């Protein structure tokens, strides 16, 4: 995947993450893009805002995309390495590629996804790292709740 395109798509997810943080939530954002590059859905972690532990950024973007005949050729873009729950969603529905802003502050299931044929594009974006480091330092209890610790 072209790095310029990946970073452009990541900007959509970062916008969602920042919106979530402004709402008092966890700053993780995601977007689902179609094989043709069209934005299908975008979302952010809304566990805190909605009181719903299943509303991770990737699931919110997936739900916003609506029903698709197939998810083959689609790309999930996320500011943070996907947790096991969201990695399972990618695998279950055959999403072909995951673009990840960073995996420094949290290393989810992306190696497992790669082992199952999902293309992984890890950008190591400094802005995504800074956003999560700041959040986890300020809200360790909320972050640990989010990752199930």
């Amino acid at each position: 995947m072209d790095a310029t395109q990946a970073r452009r798509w990541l900007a959509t997810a970062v916008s969602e993450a920042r919106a979530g943080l402004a709402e008092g939530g966890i700053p993780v954002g995601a977007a689902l893009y179609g094989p043709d590059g069209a934005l299908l859905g975008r979302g952010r972690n809304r566990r805190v805002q909605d009181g719903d532990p299943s509303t991770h950024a990737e699931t919110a973007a997936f739900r916003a995309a609506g029903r698709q005949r197939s998810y083959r050729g689609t790309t999930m873009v996320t500011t943070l390495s996907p947790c096991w729950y969201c990695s399972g969603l990618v695998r279950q529905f055959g999403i072909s590629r995951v673009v990840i802003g960073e995996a420094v502050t949290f290393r989810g299931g992306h190696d497992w996804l790669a082992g199952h044929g999902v293309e992984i594009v890890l950008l190591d974006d400094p802005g995504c790292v800074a956003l999560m480091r700041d959040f986890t330092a300020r809200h360790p209890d909320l972050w640990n709740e989010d990752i199930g610790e």
Side-chain angles (χ1 to χ4, degrees):
M1 169 169 214
D2 175 75
T4 302
Q5 181 75 22
R7 291 196 181 280
R8 191 166 37 250
W9 287 357
L10 179 62
T12 303
V14 168
S15 174
E16 287 293 323
R18 292 192 184 287
L21 181 62
E23 296 167 347
I26 297 162
V28 179
L32 184 64
Y33 284 88
D36 63 354
L39 177 61
L40 300 174
R42 57 192 293 164
R44 56 188 167 270
N45 184 307
R46 294 193 51 86
R47 295 180 74 253
V48 174
Q49 299 93 311
D50 297 346
D52 180 351
S54 71
T55 310
H56 288 203
E58 297 87 345
T59 59
F62 181 75
R63 289 174 182 156
R67 184 176 167 203
Q68 304 294 313
R69 182 170 176 84
S70 173
Y71 294 90
R72 301 215 188 293
T74 62
T75 300
M76 180 66 75
V77 182
T78 180
T79 57
L80 185 65
S81 179
C83 70
W84 288 107
Y85 170 62
C86 296
S87 294
L89 179 145
V90 168
R91 178 89 168 96
Q92 173 71 30
F93 290 96
I95 293 170
S96 300
R97 179 187 303 127
V98 180
V99 173
I100 301 166
E102 69 105 343
V104 174
T105 59
F106 179 77
R107 189 164 189 93
H110 69 264
D111 289 332
W112 175 77
L113 287 170
H116 285 88
V118 176
E119 180 186 350
I120 301 297
V121 178
L122 182 55
L123 297 175
D124 291 322
D125 183 80
C128 289
V129 174
L131 183 65
M132 286 309 298
R133 279 192 173 152
D134 182 60
F135 178 80
T136 58
R138 291 177 187 231
H139 306 284
D141 292 342
L142 187 55
W143 174 241
N144 288 331
E145 175 191 325
D146 192 63
I147 59 173
E149 291 192 10

